[in-house]
């Protein structure tokens, strides 16, 4: 992990004390939208639809099943 320079640290401290930044983050937090939640409950049909479309978007091809051969598996 790279270390921050003194200039970057000063910039982060300045942002942390900024009231406009806090107000902007509060606004974003209050206005976020979860497309799979309906009245505080998860709508499974919407979740499955989202995951299906996301999978198509990523062009994910399932890998063939490979059984685990190891006999002695310890955690």
């Amino acid at each position: 992990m790279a270390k921050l320079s003194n200039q970057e640290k000063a910039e982060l401290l300045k942002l942390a004390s900024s009231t406009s930044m806090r107000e902007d983050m509060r606004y974003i937090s209050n206005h976020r939208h979860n497309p799979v939640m309906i009245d505080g409950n998860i709508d499974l049909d919407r979740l499955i639809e989202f995951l299906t479309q996301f999978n198509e978007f990523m062009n994910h091809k399932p890998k063939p099943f490979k059984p685990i051969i190891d006999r002695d598996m310890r955690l």
Side-chain angles (χ1 to χ4, degrees), residues 34-67:
N34 188 340
V36 298
M37 296 289 282
I38 304 279
D39 297 326
N41 297 319
I42 296 175
D43 184 359
L44 289 179
D45 292 331
R46 284 185 177 202
L47 178 61
I48 291 171
E49 181 69 23
F50 169 78
L51 293 174
T52 302
Q53 289 180 6
F54 185 77
N55 213 13
E56 289 173 3
F57 173 73
M58 298 303 289
N59 197 16
H60 174 74
K61 294 178 183 171
K63 295 180 182 178
F65 175 74
K66 293 182 183 178

Side-chain angles (χ1 to χ4, degrees), residues 5-22:
S5 68
N6 288 336
Q7 182 181 5
E8 291 170 329
K9 289 179 185 178
E11 183 180 349
L12 288 174
L13 286 172
K14 183 179 176 184
L15 281 174
S17 64
S18 169
T19 57
S20 64
M21 177 64 95
R22 279 199 301 272

Side-chain angles (χ1 to χ4, degrees), residues 23-41:
E23 289 171 5
D24 290 345
M25 293 299 112
R26 190 174 297 119
Y27 178 84
I28 290 171
S29 176
N30 290 336
H31 290 87
R32 66 182 165 214
H33 172 69
N34 188 340
V36 298
M37 296 289 282
I38 304 279
D39 297 326
N41 297 319

